[in-house]
């Protein structure tokens, strides 16, 4: 961590926990975090892993603040693409969905993702929620039947206006085609009768919501995109397809000729996860609306325009934050099987370990701009940050030659001038980390944690002090700060590396009930016995 300049405060004040910071997160006891529900037309890739790990890290960070957290993930299983993919594999749609949906569950299990609910749009209780939302929109006058003409992209499951498409050339056939500017996917002119949602009625209300809630859409470049789209004018949205063209989906209530269009169906999953439609004693209703919804930048339009408009129309509260991250590239190029530059998430976790991969993805993943995936960088993070700094400091500071008593030294109120800068740094790490994390600047948050005490440890040469009895008090002080740095780091890194940090905190003798943010926000002065773990925390790759 970068060394901070000393504030002009008393030494006694350095020991006080930041009460405002602790209490700020104690006011609201529940939180709800969501991932997108993943489309089952293909197996999981590194982007799916990133979205899910990011959401799980945010979930665990809420727990760090003592909150009760609901997290939902799942699979989006309806639509023309699924229907076509199942036919291509000579399978029934539900059989195809069962197979691919299981691969996403396996990904969560492999990556230590602890979701509360795994929503599948083929589940009966989801159909019930979609029907309820549809009926509310109809009852409130926001649905009508009309004729829809426009450019439709099967790959995107989306209609596009004339100003959202352009002419292109098919690389394989040389044929002139029309494509969506936003996604590059082929579009075809389509004309059919369907139900439409009065999206055009919500432009001003959406802009007001964004203006009154500056962190509703992050990062800023994504928010600006959404504002630009709304300012261009919103057209009413097709929310059904003729069942003769698409029968793999939920039927429109009381109209057997129409299938509910996938985005209205899919977005409802966030309500489904809380038991919607809610009864009077609904246990999960209090979790809604979501605190953070993690999505990829390619679906920000649906989550930051359609979704809040549906909620407004139904009289439901709006999400507190939509976190729309960028994509992973490889060699600065979009990952694709044809290029051979696709990373297998299962294999990379097998090669480097689950926690190191989680740490790399959250620290180096792109939010505003695409992140370039590199196994060389995973190796560097592992060797430099994890093994070289945190693991190395833990191993050296807990060595029997330095701590023959097997106890973490305690500390009195006096601060030696030689330690004052480090003391201040450790005291402020939790606050600095939390501020950066809440601003979704994850790289900065982790920068505050690492390298807190390695320099101090090396400069004081405790291995020399251990040989001189008159240096016992100074040795204890140096080890105290080294192990405090490890303790604070271990607590704050739990959300992103839960398994490894459990081992670290166990080694330091930190009890489970003392592993919360409030514990990292103040220095621990009491002596305590070290615990035992097998092997090195971060062994050589």
């Amino acid at each position: 961590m970068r060394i901070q300049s000393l504030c002009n405060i008393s030494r006694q004040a350095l020991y006080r926990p930041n009460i405002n910071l602790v209490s700020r997160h104690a006011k609201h006891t529940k939180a709800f975090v969501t991932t997108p529900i993943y489309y089952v037309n293909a197996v999981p890739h590194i982007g799916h892993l990133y979205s899910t790990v990011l959401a799980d890290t945010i979930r665990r960070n809420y727990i760090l603040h003592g909150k009760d957290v609901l997290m939902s993930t799942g699979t989006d299983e309806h639509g023309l693409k699924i229907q076509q993919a199942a036919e291509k594999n000579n399978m029934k749609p539900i059989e195809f969905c069962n197979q691919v949906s299981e691969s996403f569950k396996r990904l969560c299990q492999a990556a230590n993702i602890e979701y509360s609910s795994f929503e599948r749009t083929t589940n009966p209780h989801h159909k019930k929620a979609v029907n309820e939302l549809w009926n509310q929109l109809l009852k409130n006058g926001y649905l009508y039947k009309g004729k829809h003409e426009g450019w439709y992209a099967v790959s995107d499951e989306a209609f596009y206006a004339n100003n959202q498409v352009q002419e292109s050339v098919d690389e394989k056939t040389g044929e002139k085609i029309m494509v969506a500017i936003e996604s590059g996917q082929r579009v075809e002119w389509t004309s059919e009768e369907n139900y439409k949602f009065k999206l055009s009625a919500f432009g001003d209300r959406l802009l007001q919501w964004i203006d009154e809630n500056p962190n509703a859409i992050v990062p800023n470049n994504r928010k600006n995109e959404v504002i630009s789209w709304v300012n261009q004018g919103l057209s009413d949205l097709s929310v059904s397809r003729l069942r003769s063209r698409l029968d793999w989906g939920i039927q429109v209530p009381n109209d057997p000729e129409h299938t509910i269009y996938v985005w209205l169906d899919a977005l409802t999953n966030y309500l489904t996860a809380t038991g919607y439609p809610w009864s009077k004693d609904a246990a999960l209703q209090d979790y809604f609306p979501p605190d953070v919804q993690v999505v990829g930048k390619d679906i920000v339009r649906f989550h930051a325009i359609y979704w809040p408009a549906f909620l407004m129309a139904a009289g439901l509260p709006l999400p507190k934050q939509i976190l729309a991250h960028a994509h992973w590239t490889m060699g600065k190029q979009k990952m694709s099987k044809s290029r051979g530059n696709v990373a297998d998430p299962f294999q990379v976790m097998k090669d480097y370990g689950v926690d190191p991969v989680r740490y790399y993805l959250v620290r180096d993943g792109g939010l505003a701009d695409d992140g370039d995936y590199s196994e060389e960088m995973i190796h560097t993070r592992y060797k430099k940050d994890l093994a070289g700094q945190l693991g190395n400091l833990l191993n050296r500071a807990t060595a029997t030659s330095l701590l023959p008593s097997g106890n973490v030294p305690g500390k009195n109120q006096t601060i030696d001038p030689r330690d004052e800068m480090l003391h201040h740094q450790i005291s402020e790490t939790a606050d600095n980390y939390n501020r950066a994390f809440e601003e979704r600047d994850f790289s900065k948050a982790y920068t505050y944690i690492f390298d807190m005490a390695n320099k101090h440890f090396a400069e004081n040469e405790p291995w020399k002090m251990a040989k001189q009895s008159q240096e016992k008090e100074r040795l204890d002080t140096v080890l105290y700060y080294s192990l405090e740095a490890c303790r604070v780091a271990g607590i704050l890194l739990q959300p992103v590396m839960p398994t490894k940090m459990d081992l670290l905190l166990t080694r330091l003798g930190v009890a489970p009930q003392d592993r919360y943010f409030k514990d990292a926000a103040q220095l621990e002065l009491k002596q305590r016995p070290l615990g035992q773990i097998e092997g090195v925390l971060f062994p050589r790759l």
Side-chain angles (χ1 to χ4, degrees):
M1 171 184 163
R2 293 186 296 272
I3 300 295
Q4 306 287 313
S5 59
L6 279 171
C7 296
N8 186 20
I9 51 180
S10 70
R11 290 178 180 176
Q12 287 78 8
L14 288 171
Y15 283 104
R16 293 188 200 132
N18 189 328
I19 298 299
N20 290 332
L21 193 62
V22 174
S23 62
R24 187 168 72 226
H25 292 270
K27 292 175 184 175
H28 307 288
T29 58
K30 293 182 178 178
F32 181 22
V33 180
T34 72
T35 77
I37 51 171
Y38 302 115
Y39 215 42
V40 295
N41 62 328
V43 294
H45 54 66
I46 205 75
H48 297 127
L49 179 62
Y50 175 48
S51 294
T52 314
V53 165
L54 190 55
D56 187 61
T57 300
I58 292 169
R59 176 191 74 83
R60 291 175 186 271
N61 199 68
Y62 278 126
I63 292 172
L64 200 66
H65 289 279
K67 293 194 177 187
D68 179 15
V69 192
L70 185 74
M71 175 174 155
S72 70
T73 188
T75 43
D76 183 2
E77 303 181 15
H78 289 141
L80 201 54
K81 274 194 290 188
I82 306 302
Q83 196 170 298
Q84 293 173 346
E87 289 170 2
K88 187 177 178 181
N89 286 274
N90 297 315
M91 298 173 75
K92 292 180 180 178
I94 190 61
E95 292 171 348
F96 179 80
C97 291
N98 288 342
Q99 181 177 298
V100 183
S101 183
E102 278 303 311
S103 69
F104 281 93
K105 287 185 179 179
R106 286 199 305 274
L107 183 71
C108 289
Q109 185 176 10
N112 197 9
I113 308 295
E114 295 182 355
Y115 53 79
S116 310
S117 64
F118 189 97
E119 298 303 328
R120 297 181 60 184
T121 56
T122 50
N123 284 339
H125 67 280
H126 176 71
K127 178 181 177 181
K128 183 180 178 182
V130 172
N131 284 341
E132 175 69 15
L133 182 62
W134 179 279
N135 288 331
Q136 284 298 320
L137 299 180
L138 188 66
K139 176 184 172 184
N140 294 345
Y142 291 106
L143 296 178
Y144 65 94
K145 191 182 280 188
K147 186 178 181 182
H148 187 89
E149 289 187 329
W151 298 102
Y152 183 73
V154 173
S155 294
D156 299 337
E157 299 280 12
F159 282 99
Y160 291 99
N162 286 327
N163 63 351
Q164 294 175 307
V165 300
Q166 64 185 13
E167 192 176 87
S168 183
V169 176
D170 189 309
E171 292 179 2
K172 294 180 180 178
T173 65
E175 173 193 5
K176 285 187 177 180
I177 59 171
M178 298 299 289
V179 300
I181 295 170
E182 190 176 327
S183 67
Q185 297 296 330
R186 184 169 183 160
V187 296
E188 302 285 352
W189 185 259
T190 304
S191 177
E192 66 180 56
E193 178 193 67
N194 55 30
Y195 285 88
K196 303 185 90 169
F197 171 71
K198 293 181 181 178
L199 184 64
S200 57
F202 291 91
D204 288 343
R205 288 176 66 182
L206 286 166
L207 291 174
Q208 182 182 354
W209 167 59
I210 295 169
D211 183 57
E212 292 176 355
N213 301 274
N215 295 318
I217 304 166
V218 295
N220 272 331
N221 60 340
R222 226 68 70 205
K223 177 169 72 173
N224 293 336
E225 278 181 5
V226 172
I227 292 171
S228 174
W229 290 331
V230 176
N231 281 330
Q232 289 171 24
L234 298 175
S235 302
D236 287 353
L237 182 66
S238 171
V239 289
S240 79
R241 302 294 310 277
L242 285 170
R243 210 149 179 81
S244 58
R245 296 192 180 188
L246 172 65
D247 64 0
W248 182 240
I250 299 171
Q251 179 193 306
V252 168
N254 303 314
D255 192 336
E257 294 184 358
H258 288 264
T259 300
I260 293 177
Y261 182 53
V262 288
W263 279 106
L264 180 56
D265 171 1
L267 290 164
T268 305
N269 92 88
Y270 306 122
L271 284 161
T272 308
T274 64
Y276 182 85
W278 303 305
S279 58
K280 287 183 180 179
D281 57 347
L284 300 178
Q285 182 178 352
D286 288 347
Y287 289 91
F288 199 86
D291 291 78
V292 183
Q293 299 203 257
V294 176
V295 301
K297 68 178 182 180
D298 54 329
I299 53 174
V300 67
R301 177 193 297 272
F302 309 108
H303 285 81
I305 296 180
Y306 300 175
W307 171 231
F310 292 154
L311 292 173
M312 288 176 184
L316 295 169
L318 306 190
K320 296 172 188 175
Q321 184 174 86
I322 294 162
L323 175 58
H325 63 73
H327 291 163
W328 283 97
T329 58
M330 188 182 289
K332 302 296 183 184
Q333 289 187 312
K334 186 177 180 181
M335 289 188 188
S336 72
K337 287 183 180 178
S338 60
R339 287 197 184 102
N341 65 344
V342 175
D344 178 352
F346 293 97
Q347 188 61 47
V348 73
M349 287 189 287
K350 185 178 179 182
D351 291 343
Y352 294 95
V354 173
D355 279 6
V357 171
R358 285 175 58 111
Y359 171 67
Y360 164 72
L361 290 175
V362 178
R363 174 146 193 175
D364 292 309
L367 289 180
D369 303 305
D370 290 347
D372 201 49
Y373 178 85
S374 161
E375 288 202 15
E376 185 180 337
M377 192 61 197
I378 301 177
H379 194 283
T380 298
R381 286 287 180 211
Y382 187 102
K383 186 177 179 182
K384 181 176 179 287
D385 295 2
L386 305 184
Q389 294 186 29
L390 184 57
N392 182 50
L393 182 61
L394 178 71
N395 294 339
R396 296 175 76 186
T398 57
T400 306
S401 59
L402 300 183
L403 280 177
S405 67
N407 291 322
V408 175
K411 180 79 172 67
N412 59 30
Q413 294 282 344
T414 306
I415 303 172
D416 190 304
R418 291 171 289 182
D419 306 320
E420 197 157 10
M421 185 171 285
L422 179 61
H423 183 111
H424 173 70
Q425 185 182 5
I426 296 172
S427 300
E428 293 298 312
T429 294
D431 198 346
N432 290 330
Y433 159 85
N434 192 67
R435 190 180 303 107
F437 195 98
E438 291 297 318
E439 291 170 355
R440 309 309 177 207
D441 191 342
F442 302 110
S443 181
K444 186 177 181 181
Y446 296 131
T447 298
Y448 282 123
I449 294 174
F450 282 90
D451 203 23
M452 257 190 289
N454 279 280
K455 186 179 178 184
H456 186 268
F457 184 91
E459 286 177 348
N460 281 276
E461 301 180 318
W463 54 91
K464 290 184 179 178
M465 294 180 198
K467 299 173 183 177
Q468 302 171 33
S469 58
Q470 70 271 23
E471 293 283 0
K472 177 70 169 64
E473 185 177 343
R474 181 63 190 154
L475 172 62
D476 283 351
T477 300
V478 171
L479 293 177
Y480 165 80
Y481 281 115
S482 298
L483 296 174
E484 266 301 272
C486 289
R487 183 187 68 88
V488 170
I491 291 172
L492 299 178
L493 288 169
Q494 287 178 105
V496 73
M497 292 190 288
T499 303
K500 289 292 187 182
M501 293 308 104
D502 176 54
L503 291 173
L504 180 147
L505 293 169
T506 297
R507 176 64 177 137
L508 293 176
V510 180
Q513 67 271 20
D514 297 329
R515 299 180 181 186
Y516 291 88
F517 180 83
K518 61 181 176 56
D519 303 302
Q522 58 184 325
L523 296 186
E524 174 57 68
L525 303 178
K526 294 178 183 176
Q527 184 186 90
R528 66 180 182 277
L530 288 170
Q532 293 293 323
I533 62 171
E534 291 184 11
V536 177
L537 190 63
F538 294 104
R540 287 190 177 186
L541 290 171

